[in-house]
Amino acid sequence: MLERIASPADLRGLTYGELGALAQEIRDYLVSSVSLTGGHLGPNLGVVELTLGLHRVFQSPHDTLVFDTGHQSYVHKLLTGRRDFSDLRKRGGLAGYPSRAESEHDVVENSHASTALSWAAGIARGRTLAGEHDRTTVGVIGDGALTGGMAWEALNSLADAHDRVVIVVNDNGRSYAPTIGGLARKLDGIRINPRYEQFLGWGKRTFENRGPWRNFAYRTVMHGKRAVKGLITEPGMFDDLGLKYVGPVDGHDLRQVEAALTAARDFGAPVIVHVLTEKGRGYTPAEEDVADRFHAVGRIHPETGLPVKPSRFGWTKVFAEEIVAVGRERDDVVALTAAMLAPVGLQPFADEFPERVIDVGIAEQHAVTSAAGLAFAGRHPVVAVYATFLNRAFDQVLMDVALHGAGVTFMLDRAGITGDDGPSHNGMWDMALLRHVPGLRLAAPRDAPTMRRAFRESLDVDDAPTVVRYPKGPVGDDLPAVRSVEDMDVLAEHGADPRVIVLGLGSMATTAIDAAEKVAAGGVRVTAMTATWVHPVPAGLVEALGDAELIVTIEDGLADAGIGEEWAAAARHAGHEARWMHRGVPREFLQHAARDQIVEQVGLDASAIADDVVAALD
């Protein structure tokens, strides 16, 4: 069946029996293909029938579909002609999120959640202003994205709009019980019937504000309508916003899904369709995974769901262990997460200290400002978040935490180049952004011991924000200092009075050691150094540079606005006249590929850096 589907138009002539067979084939294909590459499996197993219904009712790309979050778009990719998942999230293969470069059916990359409804509102208003009244914009929001405040800002705006928008709430959290029975479905149809709206409009014009008796009659009828609804169904969570609401609908019953979507489409103004789905549907290992229903997996054995290779001890695990140890010593430490409890390493802490963990949902802004409040109340909050997602709360870091001198620690997981999740997930912006925040102190540990120490030192700062950033993946070998010059650690020395000093920040310290060794092989005196606390400029920097003629900085953040440039400016201000060479990530969005491939692509591998150093000396 799947081979017969080259575009959404091919779905519209199928019987429901054929569609059921296709749904099963899609699930089988997702399990077999994603198990070979890794990716977001559970969310996509849950939206098979919903995505089929969307493409049968709406005519993409004439109608616009926006997925939030975008990791639930694999079925959409299959139905729009992208059937080769063999290189999913690999260089040259399909992206793990929607991609305009791949298909005219994709509009928003959307891996930072809770934005689809704002996109949909803007697109729909643009269609209205262009007179394109036959085009519907559909925002599919789910997998926790509705916990984000931006989604509710969009809903508030859409409630006052008259554009053709259908908001599909993909509810896979099992928070709501479905409304049962034909009468409830009939009420759904009545509520979004244009004649019903016309009747209510006539009633309002005829009775409201037309004298006390007519006002009384109007209010009585409206209260009666709400009372009858309340007797038959649970109150809709969107009623108070004034948005039309259909549901809950069984998201695995294609007939129900299509009926609800068709009625919403024909209404011609904003409508919410509440669809209940099951994450991991149809794949037993996912259905039995209590933690997250196989939300995202690496390479797995499809028969069992077990990983092909056990994951190595990683940076996140170091933090997970250390915060538990700290929690046993200090009862003032409170942890916050934005719907990422396990991925950022807070699950063990939550297991032992459940009352000291706050999961705010996908709401980074709220997490940061509430952390400032916790600090005011005498706690020391630890906000654990992916580096890429802290971008969303920069204003709160600046104005709520730093401005008020709040002692808040930020643990930035997956900092630097991450690779396969694509341009939105590389944590390459944090150092360039955060070094401008007054009073903020930032650490980039190079190994497990310096990370543990930096975390504990951050907890002793009670008058300013502190940040500890660390990469994705396994922790390398410990890199003890040969000697130190105040806060600068010497990692390797090749000859006295070096001509070249290579400064590697954080995980790039290993690259600095390797590059220095390659440069030294050519007979050049060279030293590799680093610092754990990289901002403000570490004490001892200028002294450690000595009389070197060339200083090289290596960081997995922006090269032209990062820590290296800050260090160079400080050295020049102090009268140090060496040349500087900054190596880091270019100011561009990096497409999905393996981390090693991107490192080589941007010239951050030790060989490329050593060649640049030798060329600069010549």
Side-chain angles (χ1 to χ4, degrees), residues 7 22 47 49 52 133 139 149 175 183-184 188 206 229 237 272 291 299 319 435 483 492 510 513 548 579 592:
S7 74
L22 176 60
V47 297
E49 290 84 4
L52 287 168
H133 301 297
S175 300
L183 180 58
D188 288 340
T206 303
K229 280 174 58 180
M237 57 181 169
I272 288 174
R299 294 179 60 214
F319 167 62
R435 74 183 185 91
R483 60 185 177 87
T510 301
I513 294 172
R579 290 181 293 153
H592 62 279

Side-chain angles (χ1 to χ4, degrees), residues 203 207-208 211-223:
F207 291 101
E208 191 178 32
W213 289 107
R214 289 191 178 189
N215 273 339
F216 174 78
Y218 180 76
R219 288 196 301 270
T220 300
V221 170
M222 295 306 293
H223 284 309

Side-chain angles (χ1 to χ4, degrees), residues 16-209:
Y16 282 112
E18 291 173 322
L19 289 166
L22 176 60
Q24 184 58 51
E25 191 172 331
I26 289 171
R27 286 193 169 92
D28 293 341
Y29 179 82
L30 288 175
V31 171
S32 63
S33 60
V34 177
S35 66
L36 296 175
T37 62
H40 290 93
L41 182 56
N44 289 285
L45 293 173
V47 297
V48 176
E49 290 84 4
L50 173 58
T51 310
L52 287 168
L54 286 166
H55 277 297
R56 278 167 57 87
V57 172
F58 300 100
Q59 297 186 29
S60 176
H62 180 77
D63 297 319
T64 301
L65 304 183
V66 183
F67 288 87
D68 189 346
T69 59
H71 62 230
Q72 57 184 336
S73 64
Y74 290 9
V75 183
H76 164 76
K77 287 176 184 270
L78 286 172
L79 299 179
T80 52
R82 289 167 278 178
R83 292 200 298 269
D84 183 3
F85 274 46
S86 60
D87 288 323
L88 177 69
R89 307 197 317 156
K90 298 178 182 178
R91 175 179 284 174
L94 293 179
Y97 298 92
S99 169
R100 290 185 185 181
E102 286 181 7
S103 173
E104 63 179 345
H105 296 278
D106 291 2
V107 176
V108 185
E109 193 267 6
N110 213 5
S111 57
H112 282 203
S114 311
T115 65
L117 302 188
S118 297
W119 272 97
I123 293 169
R125 178 56 55 88
R127 306 290 194 218
T128 299
L129 293 173
E132 298 174 344
H133 301 297
D134 63 333
R135 304 182 73 176
T136 303
T137 305
V138 184
V140 184
I141 186 166
D143 219 28
L146 204 60
T147 60
M150 189 173 172
W152 290 91
E153 294 175 26
L155 286 171
N156 183 60
S157 176
L158 285 165
D160 199 38
H162 302 284
D163 306 305
R164 296 184 64 90
V165 179
V166 174
I167 303 155
V168 178
V169 176
N170 172 30
D171 179 6
N172 60 18
R174 294 162 288 164
S175 300
Y176 304 92
T179 304
I180 304 299
L183 180 58
R185 289 193 292 274
K186 182 68 174 178
L187 283 176
D188 288 340
I190 290 173
R191 285 204 301 274
I192 59 173
N193 188 307
R195 289 176 294 176
Y196 172 67
E197 284 299 296
Q198 292 165 6
F199 172 75
L200 290 181
W202 169 83
K204 187 172 185 177
R205 292 191 302 272
T206 303
F207 291 101
E208 191 178 32
N209 297 324

Side-chain angles (χ1 to χ4, degrees), residues 516-575:
E517 183 176 350
K518 293 178 183 298
V519 171
V524 178
R525 300 186 310 278
V526 58
T527 296
M529 294 185 187
T530 190
T532 298
W533 288 94
V534 299
H535 172 83
V537 176
L541 172 66
V542 175
E543 180 184 352
L545 299 181
D547 296 323
E549 61 184 84
L550 178 63
I551 315 298
V552 183
T553 62
I554 310 172
E555 58 191 298
D556 53 0
L558 295 185
D560 64 352
I563 298 299
E565 287 207 342
E566 182 178 38
W567 286 10
R572 292 189 188 106
H573 183 73

Side-chain angles (χ1 to χ4, degrees), residues 437-472:
V437 176
L440 181 140
R441 306 170 209 187
L442 189 148
R446 63 183 180 268
D447 55 16
T450 55
M451 180 176 171
R452 294 179 192 275
R453 186 163 59 249
F455 174 53
R456 286 179 175 269
E457 290 170 349
S458 75
L459 298 176
D460 292 331
V461 178
D462 60 7
D463 60 352
T466 52
V467 177
V468 181
R469 71 185 308 270
Y470 44 97
K472 176 183 179 181

Side-chain angles (χ1 to χ4, degrees), residues 250-296:
D250 181 351
H252 302 295
D253 184 324
L254 193 51
R255 286 183 175 85
Q256 283 192 36
V257 169
E258 289 189 15
L261 292 177
T262 300
R265 178 198 64 194
D266 295 343
F267 182 59
V271 180
I272 288 174
V273 180
H274 183 185
V275 181
L276 295 170
T277 63
E278 297 175 6
K279 200 169 182 176
R281 171 92 171 194
Y283 181 44
T284 301
E287 292 177 339
E288 293 178 349
D289 179 39
V290 177
D292 64 4
R293 298 289 184 92
F294 277 32
H295 173 80

